């Protein structure tokens, strides 16, 4: 199986966003890649093939493909795709309140994880006006990436974030029954990420998801790669690390501010995730330029 390498698809300057247009899209052969991509179908029709399954595509379909997922396109009839390639680790984006949008979690985490189980029926399908907005933003992004004028990295990153935000909002407005079922889970994830400093009970998240306990836990771990409690702890530790870097607050005060009620437990969890104590982390951060 062919593996598409970063160095063959991104500019030599290393900027981790690229736009690839396929008009028409032809069969490429089953492949994976080292990067992720947002796929926007702008015309025609065809089949999205994963090696085990195949699903029909049509204008307005939008989906996200992680690098490790094998795929190809077959039976194409004037199929037109715009692919936004991105290296997630290299981007290191600050998401601000994006995780408060259930559509973000549904589009980028839940739908890819549940694609086979839902037979691709929970994919995003944008309206004509939503597609026009997405295409306009992609054109702006593509223009910046082609010209590469001074400041293009800042503007291209901002435009990429606009695209992600727009498509996340689109998913949140969907009327598709299968997509709405994913949004129920996404509501619980969004609540967790927006209120992680508050006391949170697993039963509250299950109630928001409108699922059984077993189904919710399975769905959450499949999408996020960990249990809800582990994700909650990670969110709190990430926030604590930010406070250690940017404030003079004491370790105990920070522990309580981010939602822990035991500073010793906080320190143990911090060391487990960050591989050093909170005080060591602050000391190391202060030495960096």
């Amino acid at each position: 199986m062919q593996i598409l390498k970063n160095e063959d698809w991104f500019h030599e300057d290393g900027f981790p966003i690229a736009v690839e247009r396929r008009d028409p899209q032809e069969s490429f052969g089953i492949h994976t890649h080292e990067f992720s991509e947002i796929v926007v179908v702008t015309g025609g029709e065809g089949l999205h093939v994963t090696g085990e399954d195949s699903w029909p595509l049509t204008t307005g379909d939008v989906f996200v493909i992680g690098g490790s997922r094998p795929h190809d396109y077959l039976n194409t009839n004037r199929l037109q795709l715009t692919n936004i390639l991105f290296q997630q680790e290299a981007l290191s984006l600050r998401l601000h309140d994006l995780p408060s949008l259930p559509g973000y979690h549904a589009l980028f985490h839940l739908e890819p994880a549940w694609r086979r189980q839902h037979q691709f029926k929970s994919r995003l399908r944008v309206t004509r006006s939503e597609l026009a907005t997405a295409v306009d933003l992609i054109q702006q992004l593509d223009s910046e990436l082609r010209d590469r004028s001074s400041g293009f990295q800042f503007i291209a990153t901002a435009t990429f974030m606009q695209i992600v935000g727009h498509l996340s909002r689109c998913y949140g407005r969907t009327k598709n029954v299968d997509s709405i079922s994913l949004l129920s889970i996404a509501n619980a994830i969004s609540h967790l990420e927006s209120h992680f400093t508050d006391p949170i009970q697993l039963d509250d998240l299950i109630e928001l998801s409108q699922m059984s306990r077993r189904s919710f836990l399975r769905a959450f771990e499949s999408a996020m790669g960990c249990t809800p409690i582990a994700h909650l702890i990670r969110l709190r530790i990430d926030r604590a690390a930010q406070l250690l870097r940017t404030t003079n607050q004491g370790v105990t005060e920070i522990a309580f501010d981010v939602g822990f009620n035991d500073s010793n437990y906080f320190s143990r969890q911090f060391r487990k995730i960050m591989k050093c104590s909170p005080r060591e982390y602050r000391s190391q951060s202060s030495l960096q330029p």
Side-chain angles (χ1 to χ4, degrees):
M1 182 184 305
Q2 185 178 10
I3 301 175
L4 306 187
K5 303 290 187 179
N6 288 336
E7 58 264 27
D8 296 326
W9 294 88
F10 292 87
H11 194 277
E12 61 185 11
D13 62 16
F15 187 63
I17 300 173
V19 172
E20 288 289 329
R21 299 180 185 276
R22 293 288 181 263
D23 183 9
Q25 171 70 51
E26 298 177 350
S27 178
F28 195 88
I30 291 288
H31 62 280
T32 61
H33 31 70
E34 295 179 335
F35 47 86
S36 299
E37 62 184 3
I38 302 170
V39 181
V40 181
V41 182
T42 55
E45 58 188 11
L47 289 178
H48 179 226
V49 181
T50 66
E52 298 177 340
D53 303 284
S54 62
W55 301 291
L57 293 176
T58 192
T59 304
D61 284 345
V62 179
F63 53 101
V64 176
I65 299 177
S68 62
R69 293 179 181 270
H71 66 107
D72 190 18
Y73 303 95
L74 295 177
N75 298 348
T76 58
N77 178 19
R78 294 178 292 181
L79 182 64
Q80 301 171 22
L81 302 181
T82 298
N83 299 327
I84 306 172
L85 319 182
F86 62 99
Q87 300 172 48
Q88 188 164 352
E89 295 299 323
L91 274 172
S92 300
L93 295 177
R94 184 181 177 192
L95 298 183
H96 298 278
D97 63 344
L98 181 65
S100 70
L101 294 178
Y104 164 71
H105 297 289
L107 178 61
F108 283 85
H109 300 131
L110 294 170
E111 193 282 323
W114 284 60
R115 187 163 294 163
R116 188 176 188 187
Q117 182 172 340
H118 281 196
Q119 292 295 294
F120 207 44
K121 293 178 181 178
S122 55
R123 67 189 181 278
L124 172 61
R125 178 167 292 170
V126 295
T127 65
R128 184 174 300 179
S129 62
E130 290 170 340
L131 179 59
T133 298
V135 168
D136 182 59
L137 288 169
I138 294 170
Q139 179 60 45
Q140 294 177 44
L141 173 60
D142 197 20
S143 178
E144 287 293 334
L145 293 174
R146 285 198 314 270
D147 295 343
R148 277 180 144 69
S149 302
S150 297
F152 87 90
Q153 294 190 15
F154 174 84
I155 296 174
T157 301
T159 307
F160 174 78
M161 293 175 72
Q162 279 188 279
I163 294 168
V164 170
H166 169 65
L167 295 176
S168 297
R169 284 177 169 176
C170 290
Y171 204 114
R173 294 192 293 263
T174 186
K175 304 299 182 183
N176 179 0
V177 173
D178 294 290
S179 298
I180 288 173
S181 70
L182 289 189
L183 285 172
S184 296
I185 308 171
N187 279 329
I189 298 173
S190 294
H191 178 82
L192 181 61
E193 300 215 1
S194 299
H195 299 85
F196 64 87
T197 61
D198 299 334
I200 291 182
Q201 301 297 321
L202 180 59
D203 287 344
D204 296 334
L205 300 177
I206 293 170
E207 183 177 353
L208 283 169
S209 75
Q210 302 175 13
M211 300 175 71
S212 69
R213 174 181 290 263
R214 180 180 179 183
S215 295
F216 173 72
L217 292 174
R218 186 174 65 248
F220 190 102
E221 189 161 355
S222 175
M224 307 302 287
C226 64
T227 66
I229 297 304
H231 188 58
L232 172 62
I233 291 173
R234 179 79 217 200
L235 290 169
R236 288 175 171 175
I237 296 300
D238 285 347
R239 175 57 178 162
Q242 180 188 15
L243 293 174
L244 287 166
R245 293 193 307 269
T246 59
T247 74
N248 293 320
Q249 287 180 266
V251 171
T252 299
E253 184 181 0
I254 288 176
F256 283 100
D257 280 354
V258 301
F260 290 95
N261 54 20
D262 183 329
S263 61
N264 291 325
Y265 178 70
F266 161 70
S267 293
R268 289 196 301 271
Q269 292 301 317
F270 193 98
R271 181 181 288 279
K272 180 179 178 181
I273 291 173
M274 306 302 290
K275 310 304 180 187
C276 63
S277 72
R279 288 183 173 81
E280 289 169 343
Y281 180 85
R282 170 171 275 168
S283 177
Q284 292 169 9
S285 299
S286 66
L287 295 176
Q288 297 176 1

